[in-house]
Amino acid sequence: MKATGIVRRIDDLGRVVIPKEIRRTMHIREGDPLEIFTDKEGGVIFKKYSPLGELSSFAGDCCSSLYTVSGMFCCVCDMDNVIAYSGQGKRDILERPVSRECEQLILARKNYFAQGSDTGVKIINDTGSPVIIAASPIISEGDVMGLVAFLETPDRKPSVTEEKLLSSYAMFLGKQMEN
């Protein structure tokens, strides 16, 4: 655990304010769920909760299946991180924070397919980041939870059938989260 030097008091209703600087750096927005942990030394730890993260093993298996069927690199992201990835460079991508552009793509709540001169959207903030060329949002109970994406693969663009497969997979993950 890292000390911030910030001290806050609990109010009479048991609330504590998380400072704006910490909310900004940890990408915590109003309404975001936080999971609460305690440690043996009496510490209380707040961690941003990702409902999609609960399905990371399942998402990873399905991502591998999409990669096997299509031959295209595939990933699943929640609002903050890449939670499943199939393709080259897995260690460099998995569990890394998504780029600001990827986050905007998620918040747009619609399918994305790179067209013509559109070079795609970087998945993470890194110069060598793979680029999203097709993506579909994961929506559960009306809330956007993340996205499923095909990444740029040398000499390979997704067919219409693969784009529909991507959309179906995103809907399937959304339904799994509802159950």
Side-chain angles (χ1 to χ4, degrees):
M1 228 173 358
K2 187 169 106 176
T4 62
I6 300 170
V7 176
R8 298 285 190 208
R9 295 197 182 278
I10 295 175
D11 71 8
D12 58 341
L13 295 176
R15 298 176 295 199
V16 64
V17 175
I18 300 171
K20 186 176 186 175
E21 307 83 46
I22 293 174
R23 291 193 317 262
R24 188 179 314 124
T25 58
M26 301 305 292
H27 302 284
I28 298 172
R29 295 179 279 294
E30 182 180 331
D32 282 352
L34 298 176
E35 198 167 6
I36 303 169
F37 297 92
T38 58
D39 62 19
K40 293 178 183 174
E41 292 84 40
V44 177
I45 301 160
F46 290 92
K47 183 179 177 193
K48 194 167 179 184
Y49 176 71
S50 169
L52 196 52
E54 299 288 321
L55 296 176
S56 64
S57 170
F58 180 70
D61 291 343
C62 291
C63 212
S64 293
S65 296
L66 281 176
Y67 175 59
T68 302
V69 168
S70 70
M72 299 192 72
F73 300 165
C74 178
C75 72
V76 177
C77 304
D78 65 10
M79 296 297 289
D80 299 304
N81 299 304
V82 178
I83 63 163
Y85 178 80
S86 288
Q88 292 177 331
K90 186 173 186 170
R91 268 182 289 167
D92 299 330
I93 306 299
L94 195 58
E95 297 179 4
R96 297 270 309 271
V98 297
S99 68
R100 179 70 66 200
E101 296 82 15
C102 182
E103 189 177 333
Q104 294 303 317
L105 198 61
I106 295 168
L107 294 173
R109 301 174 64 101
K110 59 185 178 182
N111 290 337
Y112 167 80
F113 304 108
Q115 303 284 328
S117 63
D118 184 1
T119 58
V121 173
K122 284 186 173 189
I123 191 159
I124 59 172
N125 288 322
D126 193 354
T127 53
S129 171
V131 176
I132 296 171
I133 58 171
S136 194
I138 300 168
I139 298 174
S140 178
E141 296 179 350
D143 295 326
V144 66
M145 300 295 183
L147 63 77
V148 180
F150 280 136
L151 306 175
E152 185 175 44
T153 306
D155 302 324
R156 185 81 169 80
K157 297 285 184 203
S159 67
V160 173
T161 303
E162 289 164 339
E163 290 174 358
K164 291 187 184 303
L165 182 63
L166 193 69
S167 297
S168 297
Y169 177 51
M171 286 189 281
F172 179 70
L173 274 178
K175 292 292 182 191
Q176 289 300 307
M177 291 179 62
E178 291 174 8
N179 295 335

